[in-house]
Amino acid sequence: MAMAFRTAFLRRGAPVTATATAAFSRTTAAAAATRHFHASPRALVAVGDAIPDLDALHEDSPGNKVNLAREFASANGVIVGVPAAFSGACSQTHVPGYIHHPRVREGKVFVVSVNDAFVMKAWADQLDPTHESGIRFLADPAGEFTKALDLGFDAPAIFGGMRGKRYALVIEDGKVKSVHVEPDNTGTDVSLAEKVLG
């Protein structure tokens, strides 16, 4: 479009002045700014998004599949994403903050990690041996749920491959009400229980 405009402008025999060049530049910039196509998919889950309807998560064993879209169809709660079970920040700060928070029983709470079901069960048994909190620990073994939310990141040197960012999603009526994703992927700040649940 910009080239056609410039060619038509020059064919008319109009002198090319600084004003004409500036007008051409403004028109080209305006056309570029109003393009409405995307070369890549939308980034990150957003407020108002529905929970991905996937049978990709496992609880306690690979045969026990959990679909969070169905779980939240008639309940509200929080999805807590962690980069790795048994890691320091996840085990000492992030997940215990939810386990001990006084509002944790007001809705369903799920901890999700790109791990296998056996690791997640062992971790749940260590962090919440009596399971009194009601928090459920889910494995995302192939990272399908994490990828559907666009919350994965590559960390081969630390975790051996793709993992989920540290996040918390508040869910209401089956949709995301608020999004709390750590800007550096693994920190412990915006996704902590006291900031998400109050």
Side-chain angles (χ1 to χ4, degrees):
M1 178 181 137
M3 187 55 100
F5 172 80
R6 186 174 204 176
T7 303
F9 187 78
L10 292 174
R11 272 194 204 132
R12 290 188 189 127
V16 178
T17 64
T19 304
T21 303
F24 172 75
S25 295
R26 282 192 303 275
T27 303
T28 304
T34 58
R35 289 184 182 150
H36 296 288
F37 65 89
H38 300 280
S40 60
R42 173 187 58 77
L44 299 180
V45 62
V47 171
D49 285 354
I51 298 304
D53 189 0
L54 299 171
D55 293 320
L57 301 172
H58 303 167
E59 184 174 27
D60 297 337
S61 75
N64 189 14
K65 296 189 187 262
V66 176
N67 182 313
L68 288 183
R70 286 196 286 271
E71 291 284 341
F72 284 115
S74 60
N76 297 331
V78 181
I79 302 170
V80 180
V82 298
F86 290 104
S87 68
C90 299
S91 296
Q92 295 165 12
T93 307
H94 197 213
V95 175
Y98 285 90
I99 290 171
H100 302 296
H101 197 282
R103 294 185 59 202
V104 77
R105 288 180 184 84
E106 293 178 12
K108 292 185 173 186
V109 179
F110 296 91
V111 174
V112 176
S113 183
V114 179
N115 271 298
D116 65 71
F118 306 110
V119 167
M120 291 301 284
K121 181 180 183 334
W123 192 40
D125 290 343
Q126 182 189 60
L127 290 179
D128 190 15
T130 63
H131 303 282
E132 285 182 32
S133 71
I135 293 176
R136 294 167 62 187
F137 289 70
L138 305 179
D140 186 10
E144 290 178 57
F145 183 79
T146 300
K147 289 174 192 170
L149 294 172
D150 197 21
L151 289 173
F153 73 102
D154 288 320
I158 300 169
F159 299 120
M162 191 277 283
R163 290 299 178 120
K165 297 178 182 191
R166 187 180 310 282
Y167 67 87
L169 304 176
V170 176
I171 311 301
E172 193 171 276
D173 300 322
K175 296 193 184 290
V176 177
K177 181 181 178 185
S178 62
V179 178
H180 311 268
V181 180
E182 295 296 343
D184 68 350
N185 300 333
T186 61
T188 51
D189 181 23
V190 300
S191 65
L192 292 176
E194 59 266 26
K195 293 194 175 177
V196 175
L197 300 176

